[in-house]
Amino acid sequence: MQNFHLPPTGYGPGSQAPEEGEDLEYMSMPQDMRTYSHHLPEVEGAPQAALDLLTSVAQACDRIATGGPSETFDLSALPPEARKVVDETLGEGEVAMKIRGIPAVRVQESVFAGVWCLSGAGVDRVEVAQVPQDALSRAFEPFRPATLDPAGPGVVNAPALLNELTDKSRAGPAPLHVVNLTLLPHTEEDLAWLSARLGEGSVDILSRGYGNCRITATALPRTWHVQFYNSTDQLILDTYEVTEMPEVALAAREDLTDSGERLREVIEAIR
């Protein structure tokens, strides 16, 4: 199962501990967890083409778990019966992505963490990776370009936050930087203006575990809007992260090792 980590707090202006005598109120954390488990395809003797592809995927999990590059497997040429077995074996896991633009790509993680199914016009493949390469390379292509609107009435703290995010973005690859809006004073106008000035990139991600985590690329390189919701769809943590990809969307290397092992167990059961 995908590891689920809340981003660290304590970053950005205003995110320090309150002054003595002040109290911070926290909303309740989610209690329910959605879990995913694979089921065995109902077949008598899986087609060899399906077994071969699933075996190759399991082997790729092992290689990538030890630092190897991502690997892809074309599904378009699989015979219908083999394709059915592959689809039923992989199932649907915790993370889904939408990559907008041309071509538009739908990404669905399988029940095996780090094994991703990609579909769209001319796209029909499985990719084994911590995260699909298209989600990295196309994330910040502007889907909604950033505006240059000056701060209007009610915009108080957003210009300082924009400067902070822009500076960290321009710094290039660096440790994760988080601006925690949940702990910062802001107005509705602040949030709207900041969103407009950052624009919107081409990648949307939904990670389902303890509640939902919704991740949206901005049009500013390496800058993501990351929002955590509890099981009643109430926002409990609202942040911007400056990083290549938020950790919550990544398959951990130990999860890839586990995926390879579990996939081989399924292969033996349906052989």
Side-chain angles (χ1 to χ4, degrees):
M1 185 181 71
Q2 187 101 353
N3 282 351
F4 192 90
H5 303 286
L6 289 179
T9 58
Y11 293 80
S15 59
Q16 291 74 27
E19 298 291 336
E20 184 176 353
E22 294 182 4
D23 293 322
L24 282 178
E25 295 183 1
Y26 294 94
M27 300 172 66
S28 59
M29 293 297 289
Q31 301 297 320
D32 298 327
M33 181 177 181
R34 301 179 185 178
T35 59
Y36 298 83
S37 59
H38 62 265
H39 66 278
L40 299 180
E42 297 180 359
V43 296
E44 295 182 3
Q48 190 60 44
L51 295 174
D52 289 345
L53 186 139
L54 293 171
T55 298
S56 296
V57 169
Q59 293 169 346
C61 287
D62 296 338
R63 290 190 290 269
I64 293 158
T66 58
S70 66
E71 299 184 31
T72 60
F73 302 88
D74 184 19
L75 298 180
S76 61
L78 278 181
E81 283 303 312
R83 176 59 183 270
K84 180 180 178 180
V85 170
V86 169
D87 288 345
E88 290 187 1
T89 299
L90 295 181
E92 292 191 359
E94 295 183 355
V95 181
M97 303 183 184
K98 179 170 61 176
I99 303 175
R100 297 172 292 191
I102 301 174
V105 179
R106 177 182 181 271
V107 181
Q108 176 63 59
E109 189 179 36
S110 74
V111 295
F112 304 95
V115 179
W116 309 85
C117 300
L118 284 73
S119 59
V123 178
D124 187 14
R125 64 180 184 267
V126 166
E127 183 170 348
V128 183
Q130 288 193 281
V131 68
Q133 292 303 300
D134 279 357
L136 291 170
S137 64
R138 298 176 55 189
F140 310 108
E141 296 174 358
F143 179 75
R144 175 176 60 81
T147 70
L148 297 176
D149 296 341
V155 177
V156 181
N157 292 319
L161 297 179
L162 178 63
N163 289 338
E164 180 179 350
L165 292 170
T166 301
D167 288 345
K168 294 298 182 181
S169 171
R170 288 174 177 169
L176 168 69
H177 182 80
V178 178
V179 171
N180 190 338
L181 297 176
T182 306
L183 297 180
L184 292 173
H186 58 259
T187 64
E188 290 299 319
E189 291 83 358
D190 275 326
L191 297 181
W193 184 83
L194 184 59
S195 176
R197 287 297 300 261
L198 290 172
E200 191 172 341
S202 295
V203 173
D204 286 338
I205 304 172
L206 174 64
S207 178
R208 298 167 293 182
Y210 287 99
N212 291 329
C213 177
R214 298 169 189 171
I215 306 166
T216 304
T218 72
L220 181 66
R222 302 179 61 248
T223 306
W224 302 82
H225 194 188
V226 183
Q227 298 173 299
F228 289 86
Y229 295 80
N230 65 14
S231 56
T232 62
D233 209 32
Q234 194 170 24
L235 182 64
I236 59 174
L237 185 61
D238 191 6
T239 69
Y240 280 99
E241 294 190 15
V242 183
T243 184
E244 295 301 322
M245 176 65 65
E247 185 177 1
V248 70
L250 296 172
R253 297 197 187 280
E254 55 267 28
D255 289 334
L256 280 155
T257 297
D258 180 67
S259 292
E261 293 173 353
R262 291 194 296 119
L263 192 47
R264 278 187 284 272
E265 292 173 0
V266 174
I267 293 168
E268 287 304 312
I270 66 176
R271 189 179 295 277

